[in-house]
Amino acid sequence: MDSAPTNTPPAAALTAVVVVAAGSGERLGYGMPKAKVPLGGDSILTHALRGVAAAGVARQICVAIPPGDPELRNLCETFAQELAVEGPQAPAPGVAVQLPAVTVVDGGASRADSVRAALAALQPEIEAVLVHDAARALTPEAVFHRVSRALAAGAQAVIPVIPVVDTVKTVEAAAADAPAPELVTGTAAREALRAVQTPQGFQLATLRRAHAAAATFDAGQAAAVTDDAMLVELLGVPVHAVRGASQSLKITTPLDLIIAEGLLEGPLGARWVEG
Ligand code: CTP
Ligand code: MG
């Protein structure tokens, strides 16, 4: 058992954080890649990168941006300069300070393609990787630490999760003459359900193996890949779960952006973390 306090970065394997920021942000509807959308005076990507740096777990931060986007490339370069000037956040006692290298790659057509592009650009000494959605821009440091600590304790794969608050049912399309468009086919046992967040942590060799297997997927299978852990599950490797946080919400719709703005401006502040 690891008895370290939850706010202490563990002395983990050499870790990279991959930040996937190459999506188009269609559901947010800003007419620009979601990573550029303003949030509390900065961009969503800037918030995400600052959160990663503040967690202090990364030797390398590798960002996947929309191919050839000069603005987002500049934004990453500005962030790297900001890091060099300010340095990483004060580390916990006994944890070595090291400025993470910042690498930028062109993402791909799908999220999995973007992850693969970033994995190909990791430094040779990297042993473990955390894959994080830029869209989860307000993820608290404690979540990075919980994931890193589980990796340091021997997990091959670990994901942050939160309990599901809604009752979840399965449905199928109803007959044309039915009174409503869908018919309920079952109700999932809610106590066993978890909503999955990022950063998702992996031993690098395991994630590389999982993504290599997925490279042969047909279009339908590829479209069904919504996170990295499911690829590792397909290998039969156990995936462990730690507690996520409600502030780690994925900014997907305009309502999510309003909530994120509220978290930044509200009396609790963005760094509030549930106990
Ligand atoms: N992502 C990526 N490359 C893609 C698609 C998605 O790097 N080809 C990233 C997004 O930038 C985001 C994360 O994966 O940080 C989760 O994806 P999502 O929330 O779906 O973002 P978008 O794809 O940008 O949004 P939408 O699906 O509404 O277009
Ligand atoms: Mg998407």
Side-chain angles (χ1 to χ4, degrees):
M1 279 293 288
D2 185 350
S3 59
T6 51
N7 62 351
T8 304
L14 286 181
T15 302
V17 178
V18 162
V19 177
V20 282
S24 56
E26 240 155 74
R27 286 170 288 180
L28 198 53
Y30 258 66
M32 64 171 82
K34 187 155 66 181
K36 287 185 197 175
V37 169
L39 167 62
D42 285 302
S43 67
I44 285 180
L45 180 56
T46 298
H47 282 282
L49 292 174
R50 287 193 185 138
V52 171
V57 298
R59 178 66 65 95
Q60 180 184 6
I61 301 174
C62 186
V63 192
I65 61 169
D69 189 312
E71 258 181 71
L72 284 173
R73 195 167 276 274
N74 282 343
L75 187 152
C76 293
E77 276 158 22
T78 304
F79 164 74
Q81 286 158 9
E82 184 184 295
L83 258 190
V85 172
E86 292 171 16
Q89 290 255 312
V95 175
V97 188
Q98 182 157 9
L99 271 186
V102 179
T103 312
V104 183
V105 298
D106 283 342
S110 70
R111 184 186 181 281
D113 290 333
S114 297
V115 173
R116 272 190 286 270
L119 292 182
L122 297 186
Q123 296 169 343
E125 65 270 24
I126 296 296
E127 299 163 323
V129 61
L130 271 50
V131 182
H132 188 45
D133 291 334
R136 297 186 189 274
L138 301 183
T139 300
E141 293 155 41
V143 177
F144 287 89
H145 298 167
R146 287 196 279 270
V147 171
S148 286
R149 192 173 298 110
L151 284 179
Q156 286 293 314
V158 55
I159 59 175
V161 301
I162 56 173
V164 172
V165 293
D166 294 315
T167 296
V168 177
K169 294 186 190 290
T170 52
V171 297
E172 63 185 18
D177 60 351
E182 290 181 336
L183 194 63
V184 171
T185 54
T187 303
R190 192 172 63 183
E191 59 281 7
L193 293 176
R194 300 290 180 269
V196 175
Q197 304 179 328
T198 70
Q200 299 190 348
F202 307 93
Q203 304 301 336
L204 179 56
T206 301
L207 188 62
R208 282 206 164 121
R209 196 153 61 88
H211 271 278
T216 62
F217 282 3
D218 65 29
Q221 290 169 314
V225 176
T226 51
D227 77 346
D228 298 283
M230 62 187 283
L231 299 179
V232 171
E233 289 160 46
L234 290 174
L235 296 180
V237 172
V239 175
H240 299 268
V242 294
R243 183 160 49 88
S246 52
Q247 308 94 292
S248 303
L249 84 159
K250 183 157 71 74
I251 300 170
T252 307
T253 64
L255 177 62
D256 298 326
L257 193 58
I258 291 167
I259 294 169
E261 292 279 4
L263 281 170
L264 282 173
E265 288 166 13
L268 295 170
R271 296 290 165 206
W272 169 72
V273 181
E274 306 96 324

